[in-house]
DNA sequence: TACTTTTTTATTGTTTTACAATAAATTTTT
DNA sequence: AAAAATTTATTGTAAAACAATAAAAAAGTA
C-alpha cells in the first residue's frame, strides 16, 4: 500500500485531539484512532467529508500517495 | 455530501479512458464507472492507490471537499 | 445510416470492511 | 500517583466494494 494518512498532522495543526474530533465527526474514539493510525483499509466519503469539515481542510491534506520502494529495512511498518 | 470526485478530470488530463484505466487499476469497467460518476459511498485505499499510480497523481487530485450550500436550483445533482 | 467502441446502468452474489459498542491496556499529562 | 487521552482488541451488524455479467445508451467512425 502506498496511501498514507496524514490525519495526525492535520489534527496537530488544528490543535484538535481525538476526543474533540471524534465528537465532531460523529465517530467513535476507537474507530477514529484506527483511521488516524493508518489501520483502515477504506474510508467512507461521508466520514472523509465530516473530517474535512471539522478540520477545515482538503482530502489531499489527509490522504497522500507515495510510491512504495522498500524501506522496510528500518523498523517494521506493517506488522501482522 | 460534499466530497466530489474529480476522477474524470484526471482521466481527461492523462487521456485515459475507462477501458484503459480499468485494466491498470484492476477493477471492472462497471465499478470504475461508478467511482468516476460519484456513485460510490466509500473507497478502498488499495483502489485509490492503484488509481493514483495509474494516473500519476495525488488523492487530492481526485477527491475534493466542498462545503455544500444549496445550489440545487440549477439542475439536479443527486437524484434517487 | 449502420457499425464499432466506449461508457453507463443494472442485477445478483460474495467478501470485505466501516463503524458501533464496549472494555481494557497503554501512553501522556497534570 | 491520579486523571485524561490514546491505542488496541473483540464482537456484531449493516453497508458497501467489487466481481461477474449483461444490456442499454452515448459517442465516434466509415
Amino acid at each position: 500500500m502506498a496511501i498514507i494518512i496524514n490525519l495526525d498532522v492535520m489534527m496537530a495543526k488544528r490543535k484538535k485531539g481525538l476526543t474533540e474530533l471524534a465528537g465532531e465527526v460523529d465517530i467513535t474514539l476507537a474507530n477514529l484512532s484506527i483511521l488516524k493510525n493508518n489501520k483502515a483499509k477504506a474510508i467512507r466519503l461521508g466520514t472523509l467529508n465530516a473530517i474535512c469539515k471539522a478540520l477545515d481542510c482538503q482530502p489531499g491534506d489527509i490522504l497522500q500517495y507515495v510510491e512504495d520502494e522498500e524501506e522496510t529495512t528500518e523498523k517494521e511498518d506493517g506488522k501482522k
Side-chain angles (χ1 to χ4, degrees), chain A:
Chain A
M1 184 82 55
I3 294 285
I4 62 176
I5 295 189
N6 289 318
L7 181 54
D8 49 352
V9 176
M10 277 311 298
M11 286 171 64
K13 280 190 183 170
R14 303 302 189 224
K15 309 302 177 197
K16 288 206 180 182
L18 276 181
T19 306
E20 190 179 357
L21 187 59
E24 298 175 10
V25 174
D26 196 42
I27 191 180
T28 57
L29 266 182
N31 288 321
L32 188 57
S33 174
I34 288 172
L35 252 181
K36 185 171 88 78
N37 294 297
N38 230 333
K39 302 283 178 56
K41 305 241 179 68
I43 187 171
R44 295 206 177 142
L45 301 190
T47 302
L48 182 59
N49 179 62
I51 291 175
C52 286
K53 180 181 294 187
L55 293 180
D56 187 34
C57 67
Q58 287 293 321
D61 295 321
I62 291 173
L63 299 169
Q64 183 186 2
Y65 167 71
V66 293
E67 20 215 328
D68 43 9
E69 345 138 34
E70 32 268 288
E71 32 172 295
T72 326
T73 352
E74 270 215 68
K75 270 274 173 59
E76 79 305 28
D77 7 75
K79 87 248 307 206
K80 210 292 167 58

